[in-house]
Every structure is written in structure tokens, then in C-alpha cells.
Amino acid sequence: DIITSVGVPTNVISLAGSGKTTTLLARLFYMEFEYQIKPYNMLAITFSNSASADMSERYIKARKQLDLPGYTPCFKTFHALFKNLIAINPKYRSIQVVTIQNYKFDLLKMIRSGNDLLKNTDILDDMNSFRGWLINENKSVDGLIGADEYYPKQKRSFTLQDYLLVMTEYQKLKDEANAIDFDDMQYICYRELISGDYSDKIKKEFQETYLQVMIDEYQDICPIQVSIMDELIGSNYNSLEAIGDDDQCIYSFRGGDPKFIIDFEFNYPNAKRYFLS
């Protein structure tokens, strides 16, 4: 039923070890055989490079066993997908992608609330997680604006003063290097889709290229990613399949929220839910 579910948004609640990847790959073949959708017109999104590589390797192996031409669907992480999308705007084609670790030692020296280097390393990680949560939850465009409003919501390992100092410097260092990190990339992608000069071009290219979209580990998706995908897919939400396990969310500290997989049936008209146990 999961493999042959066509024409409606499809949600699969899948336990670990239940054959999720095998089922997903079979669905890709089914779409090709029954509906003549070319592999390169199907997109499978994962949260990690290792998951993407594993899925791609298994697909290629199965394709060889079936003696089929060597086409491959687009197995991408959110990171890779958003980077490709914002590059449609020439402004972002030469931009570097970095992480906070690139500037770790400069930023560690600015933390005053810790008392040793090891603790400061943990504090910097906590600061970065808080910044990611603010951006991924659409609470802030840069992790600075609005930080004071959400800082008191729970106990922090750092002071607000230190946080603003460190993150202002982090932004300055990125600007000097013409660089962005993944959280910046998500916000830029969302902004481009909502109000950018290349919004229509990005949406048109995405919708003409990807006739089927599958998102793995959907329980880890965050609000800004849902908003981006909804903008990209538009009215063609019948092409969407979301797979995951609502008990396995591991990115809640950065805005991942299992409510999106739990409420999938209510968020997309005529959606169907299946259980793979």
C-alpha cells in the first residue's frame, strides 16, 4: 500500500528496522515503472550525508540487479538542496559555507561566563544550538534579533550578554569571509522564496525538475524547513511523501519537532497515513 500510494500526500510512520529504506526504494522503482517518472525527476531528502550515501548505494545496487540503465534519483540532504537553490541567485554562487567551528578559537576567548577552555567549548556549542533554534523556529532572522525575548524561557549555560557578544562577532567574521552557515542558508532560502527577485525562478525550476518528493526522518524537520518545502512544492502537495518515527526526534534542541509528522494528515488535504511496524 505504501509503495503504490499515488495522487495523495503520503505519510509513513516507520519503526527502526521495519524495512523503511527498502520500501522507499521500491516506491521509487514503482513510480518509474508504472508512471514513467524518470529517476532524476524524483527527490529523496535526508538529514545526513551518511543516510543519503547509504540510500544511493542501495538504489544503485538494486538497479544493477534489475539490469536497468544507470540513472539515479536525486538523493540530497537539506543542506545540499538549499545550497543549490540559493545559488540560482548569482549573489550566492561564490559564497562559502562554514560552521561555527571555523571560528572556534576566536569566539571562545570572548566567553566570560565559563571558567576554563573545556567549559567554554560546551558553552559555545550551547550558544550555537540556541541560535539554531531561534532561526529554525522562525523566531529570529539571524539569531540576534529577538534573542532577548526567548533567552529566559529555559535555563542557559551562558549569559545573554555573552551570547550577543559572541554571535555578533560570529556574524562579523562570516561577513568578512563572504560566508554563511547552514542556519543562515535556511533563512536565506526561505527569504528568497517569500520575497526574493528569483522566487518564481526557484519554484519553477524545482517543480519542473522534481515530480516526486520524499523526505526521510520527517520527525526531525523544523518549522523553517516545512515552510521552505511548502513554498517549493506549492499546490503539488500530492507528490509529497514523509517518512519517519515520531518517537525518534533527535534535533529538538535545534527546532526539530515531531508535531509535523504527527499532524501530517491534518496539514495536507486528503493525506493518507500508513504504519510500517
Side-chain angles (χ1 to χ4, degrees):
D1 290 341
I2 294 167
I3 292 166
T4 60
S5 178
V6 177
V8 294
T10 303
N11 172 223
V12 181
I13 305 293
S14 171
L15 300 179
S18 60
K20 174 186 69 174
T21 303
T22 302
T23 306
L24 189 150
L25 296 181
R27 181 175 168 87
L28 293 173
F29 285 118
Y30 180 79
M31 293 295 174
E32 179 181 359
F33 297 159
E34 292 296 318
Y35 294 93
Q36 290 72 56
I37 299 176
K38 299 298 184 185
Y40 45 78
N41 292 133
M42 294 185 272
L43 173 65
I45 304 173
T46 66
F47 278 84
S48 70
N49 288 322
S50 59
S52 181
D54 176 65
M55 203 176 290
S56 178
E57 184 180 329
R58 290 176 63 176
Y59 177 88
I60 291 170
K61 182 179 178 182
R63 199 165 184 87
K64 286 179 179 176
Q65 289 174 332
L66 293 168
D67 197 26
L68 295 170
Y71 299 121
T72 307
C74 294
F75 296 106
K76 290 184 180 291
T77 61
F78 275 114
H79 188 143
L81 175 64
F82 295 163
K83 187 173 187 292
N84 289 347
L85 291 174
I86 66 172
I88 292 174
N89 183 340
K91 175 181 176 182
Y92 299 111
R93 284 177 191 165
S94 61
I95 207 157
Q96 295 184 68
V97 180
V98 297
T99 73
I100 201 167
Q101 301 303 318
N102 290 83
Y103 309 104
K104 179 177 178 179
F105 293 106
D106 290 325
L107 299 177
L108 285 172
K109 291 183 282 188
M110 305 180 70
I111 299 173
R112 300 184 185 123
S113 48
N115 52 30
D116 56 51
L117 184 60
L118 182 60
K119 185 172 182 182
N120 283 0
T121 301
D122 293 336
I123 290 172
L124 185 63
D125 289 342
D126 287 347
M127 286 180 173
N128 195 41
S129 294
F130 178 55
R131 177 180 178 273
W133 180 86
L134 287 168
I135 296 172
N136 295 339
E137 286 275 356
N138 277 333
K139 308 290 187 189
S140 173
V141 298
D142 59 2
L144 290 166
I145 298 170
D148 55 340
E149 180 182 352
Y150 294 98
Y151 173 82
K153 296 291 184 182
Q154 52 183 280
K155 189 176 179 181
R156 306 285 178 193
S157 65
F158 49 86
T159 65
L160 179 60
Q161 183 180 11
D162 269 7
Y163 174 80
L164 295 174
L165 187 70
V166 168
M167 289 305 164
T168 299
E169 179 66 14
Y170 180 40
Q171 189 62 51
K172 178 184 160 209
L173 291 168
K174 286 186 294 179
D175 289 343
E176 290 172 351
N178 189 32
I180 59 174
D181 64 16
F182 182 47
D183 293 320
D184 296 323
M185 190 190 302
Q186 294 194 128
Y187 170 69
I188 289 169
C189 189
Y190 181 61
R191 184 187 64 201
E192 287 292 312
L193 288 167
I194 295 298
S195 58
D197 293 338
Y198 289 82
S199 173
D200 291 341
K201 182 176 174 64
I202 293 171
K203 292 176 185 178
K204 184 172 185 289
E205 286 198 15
F206 182 90
Q207 291 169 14
E208 288 180 353
T209 302
Y210 301 121
L211 307 181
Q212 287 290 315
V213 179
M214 304 178 194
I215 304 177
D216 194 15
E217 306 295 352
Y218 197 76
Q219 75 279 357
D220 286 318
I221 203 166
C222 63
I224 196 168
Q225 290 169 343
V226 171
S227 297
I228 289 170
M229 295 310 301
D230 284 348
E231 288 294 325
L232 289 170
I233 292 169
S235 60
N236 192 29
Y237 47 77
N238 286 340
S239 67
L240 177 63
E241 180 180 21
I243 307 166
D245 181 354
D246 54 316
D247 282 335
Q248 297 292 328
C249 180
I250 60 172
Y251 290 114
S252 58
F253 65 95
R254 291 180 65 80
D257 197 330
K259 75 179 181 182
F260 293 109
I261 194 168
I262 293 169
D263 294 342
F264 188 91
E265 288 180 293
F266 310 106
N267 293 336
Y268 298 96
N270 304 315
K272 295 196 74 172
R273 170 168 288 163
Y274 299 97
F275 294 89
L276 196 60
S277 60

